[in-house]
Amino acid sequence: MRTHASPTFVLIPGAGGSAFYWHRLAEELTGRGREAVAVDLPGADDSAGLAEYADAVVAAIGDRTRIVLVAQSMGGFTAPLVCERVPVDLLVLLNAMVPAPGETPGDWWENTGQPQARAAYAASEGRPAGGEFDALVEFFHDVPPEVTAAVLARREPDQSGTPFEKPWPLERWPDVPTRFLQGRDDRFFPLEFQRRVVAERLGIPVDEMPGGHLVALSRPRELADRLETYLL
């Protein structure tokens, strides 16, 4: 088995499952001498649920050790399943959904009050509350234009509804050191909403940094800096 002098960052994307989401952060981390493994999930596969997503992450990890698992958004449902199967040194939830035992990802939204929190935050910024989702407004508002263009030039990843239908299978959170890092400018999962959900479900504080929901695209250097501090 290989051994690594430094941790390997394994990066789990959110809905759509595209590893490309992480390309700027991965470049930043590798430039610092770290290994970064961005995982593609089978998001478009109607036969794939959370178990198959976890399979994809475990396969990507292979025989690597000293794993720092970083999970974005919907990846918060997959990462704990991975922690039950392979040794993980640290789990970092980034602008993530935090599941409760037996909860489906489809029920998470109403259970947590996310639609109301999203609408209230929009109103506080003077935007229409409760309107149709607009990715440019809610996801890409702080992403550099050239990065947005590069992302949008790619085929938009499809996300099957299958993983939203089955209950999250764990009875409790895995016994793995866990940090929660939230972009304070996230319009989709507002900071105060996340503070409440994380306190209720994990009982840990929320760390914050500048940036919106796609912080790995908007602020990869600052995000890498924050991840590095968790290794100290």
Side-chain angles (χ1 to χ4, degrees):
M1 179 178 290
R2 289 180 300 185
T3 59
H4 290 260
S6 65
T8 294
F9 290 90
V10 177
L11 311 173
I12 305 176
S18 175
F20 187 71
Y21 167 70
W22 297 109
H23 76 281
R24 299 191 78 204
L25 176 64
E27 181 178 347
E28 183 68 34
L29 290 170
T30 55
R32 302 175 184 210
R34 304 294 190 185
E35 183 175 16
V37 179
V39 183
D40 269 313
L41 300 178
D45 185 351
D46 287 331
S47 69
L50 294 175
E52 287 72 25
Y53 289 14
D55 288 343
V57 180
V58 171
I61 291 172
D63 63 358
R64 294 176 175 87
T65 59
R66 299 200 63 198
I67 302 301
V68 176
L69 205 57
V70 184
Q72 157 77 10
S73 196
M74 184 185 168
F77 270 82
T78 299
L81 307 184
V82 176
C83 293
E84 291 287 280
R85 295 178 52 186
V86 298
V88 171
D89 286 6
L90 176 67
L91 170 56
V92 181
L93 299 171
L94 177 65
N95 294 344
M97 300 166 73
V98 178
E103 180 177 63
T104 70
D107 287 338
W108 178 91
W109 310 89
E110 289 296 335
N111 288 352
T112 59
Q114 185 272 348
Q116 295 83 0
R118 169 180 169 254
Y121 189 72
S124 75
E125 291 193 326
R127 295 182 287 111
E132 289 292 323
F133 172 75
D134 183 334
L136 289 176
V137 172
E138 297 192 60
F139 280 1
F140 289 93
H141 60 97
D142 66 331
V143 177
E146 67 277 11
V147 178
T148 298
V151 173
L152 297 182
R154 299 170 61 87
R155 182 181 179 277
E156 183 176 356
D158 296 322
Q159 176 58 60
S160 168
T162 299
F164 291 91
E165 298 168 357
K166 292 184 178 181
W168 191 65
L170 300 187
E171 296 182 357
R172 63 186 64 85
W173 199 256
D175 186 19
V176 172
T178 302
R179 304 294 294 262
F180 197 103
L181 180 59
Q182 179 68 29
R184 69 172 65 102
D185 309 305
D186 191 338
R187 294 175 170 178
F188 199 55
F189 297 160
L191 175 61
E192 293 309 314
F193 160 77
Q194 291 285 57
R195 288 194 192 282
R196 173 179 59 80
V197 173
V198 173
E200 292 172 352
R201 297 191 167 195
L202 295 179
I204 63 174
V206 169
D207 301 327
E208 63 179 90
M209 64 172 288
H213 194 65
L214 305 184
V215 68
L217 290 174
S218 63
R219 295 176 179 269
R221 181 175 299 174
E222 294 95 326
L223 178 54
D225 288 343
R226 294 302 296 267
L227 294 176
E228 291 276 0
T229 67
Y230 290 156
L231 303 181
L232 300 178

